Amino acid sequence: MKLSHSPTSPFVRKVLVAAHETGLADRIELLDMTSSDAKTAIDQVNPLGKVPAMILDDGTTLMDSPLLCEYLDSLHGGRKLFPESGGARWSALRQQAIGDGVMDAAVARVGEARRPESERSPDFVEKQTAKIAHSLDLLEREAESLQSDPTIGRIAVGCALGYLDFRAPNEGWRTGRPKLAAWYEGFAARPSMAATTPPD
Ligand SMILES: N[C@@H](CCC(=O)N[C@@H](CS)C(=O)NCC(=O)O)C(=O)O
C-alpha cells in the first residue's frame, strides 16, 4: 500500500506511528507530496486535497487519518489500537477526537501565519490558540486515562503534542500541565515516535 506523505504533517505522522505500533510500517511505500507537482498529485489521491491518504494494492483510495489508522488496525492480529467495544473504545475515540482537533487548530495557525501579513487575522489565531489551550487543560485533568498501552487516542494526542513542540517550541505548552508533560516524555521515547520525528 502507498501513503501520501509530507514529513511535517502531524496527521501523516499519526498514521506512521500507528503503522509502527502494529508492525506494518515495512508494508507502506511513501509517496512524496512535497514536490512542485504535489498539489495535483494530492488531489488525484484525495479529492479533499489533504495528506494523508492511502492507495491500497487493489487501487482503492482511503482518506482521513482515523480511517487510515482503523484500516491498518484491521490488518494485524496483535493488540488493537481501536478497542473493539465498551468504555475503552469510546475513551480511545474521544482522545483521538481531541488530539486530531488540537492538530487541526495548530495546522490552521501555521497556515494563517503563512498568509500575507495584511491578510492575517489575529482574532483567528487567538481562537485556534484557545482551542489548543482548552484541550490541553482537559488532557491534563484526565492525564491518568493516557497511561498504559498505546491506543489510537494516545497516538493522536502524542502526535498533537509533538507537533506543538515542532511548530511552537517557545509556546510552553508544558507550563501548568506537569502530568501531561510527564506522560508525553514517556510516549515520545517510544520507537514509533522516534522513527517518525519531523525534520529540523
Ligand atoms: N482530518 C484530516 C486532516 C488532514 C489535514 O488537515 N492535512 C493537512 C496537512 S497537515 C493538509 O493536507 N492540508 C491541506 C489542505 O487542507 O488543503 C486527517 O485526519 O487526515
Side-chain angles (χ1 to χ4, degrees):
M1 59 201 142
K2 297 177 179 154
L3 178 71
S4 64
H5 178 259
S6 158
T8 58
S9 165
F11 295 99
V12 171
R13 186 181 193 191
K14 180 185 156 199
V15 175
L16 288 175
V17 170
H20 280 277
E21 292 289 350
T22 53
L24 294 164
D26 290 349
R27 287 174 55 183
I28 298 179
E29 182 188 334
L30 301 182
L31 295 177
D32 179 17
M33 293 293 174
T34 55
S35 69
S36 51
D37 300 332
K39 185 75 187 103
T40 317
I42 289 172
D43 290 349
Q44 276 168 6
V45 180
N46 179 0
L48 299 169
K50 297 185 182 195
V51 293
M54 203 174 252
I55 308 174
L56 307 187
D57 294 342
D58 69 359
T60 307
T61 53
L62 300 179
M63 57 290 297
D64 211 28
S65 63
L67 173 57
L68 271 51
C69 292
E70 193 154 4
Y71 176 73
L72 290 177
D73 212 28
S74 75
L75 298 181
H76 70 101
R79 197 187 52 76
K80 296 292 180 183
L81 299 178
F82 288 75
E84 264 175 38
S85 60
R89 178 169 174 80
W90 301 123
S91 171
L93 293 182
R94 179 171 175 274
Q95 281 171 350
Q96 177 180 225
I98 294 166
D100 283 3
V102 170
M103 291 193 270
D104 276 331
V107 167
R109 223 170 41 169
V110 170
E112 188 67 12
R114 287 187 178 149
R115 283 155 58 83
E117 198 167 351
S118 59
E119 292 174 21
R120 287 181 212 154
S121 162
D123 183 53
F124 179 82
V125 171
E126 205 176 296
K127 280 187 179 139
Q128 304 312 313
T129 301
K131 289 177 204 286
I132 294 168
H134 296 157
S135 301
L136 299 196
D137 288 344
L138 181 149
L139 291 169
E140 171 70 12
R141 289 195 298 276
E142 300 182 1
E144 249 167 53
S145 69
L146 292 166
Q147 303 304 329
S148 191
D149 293 328
T151 61
I152 193 57
R154 293 167 192 150
I155 290 173
V157 171
C159 289
L161 297 176
Y163 190 67
L164 293 177
D165 276 348
F166 175 54
R167 289 298 192 201
N170 300 321
E171 204 168 65
W173 67 260
R174 289 170 178 79
T175 306
R177 302 184 186 106
K179 294 182 203 157
L180 188 58
W183 171 78
Y184 179 66
E185 197 180 330
F187 192 81
R190 294 186 71 80
S192 61
M193 290 290 282
T196 58
T197 306
D200 286 339

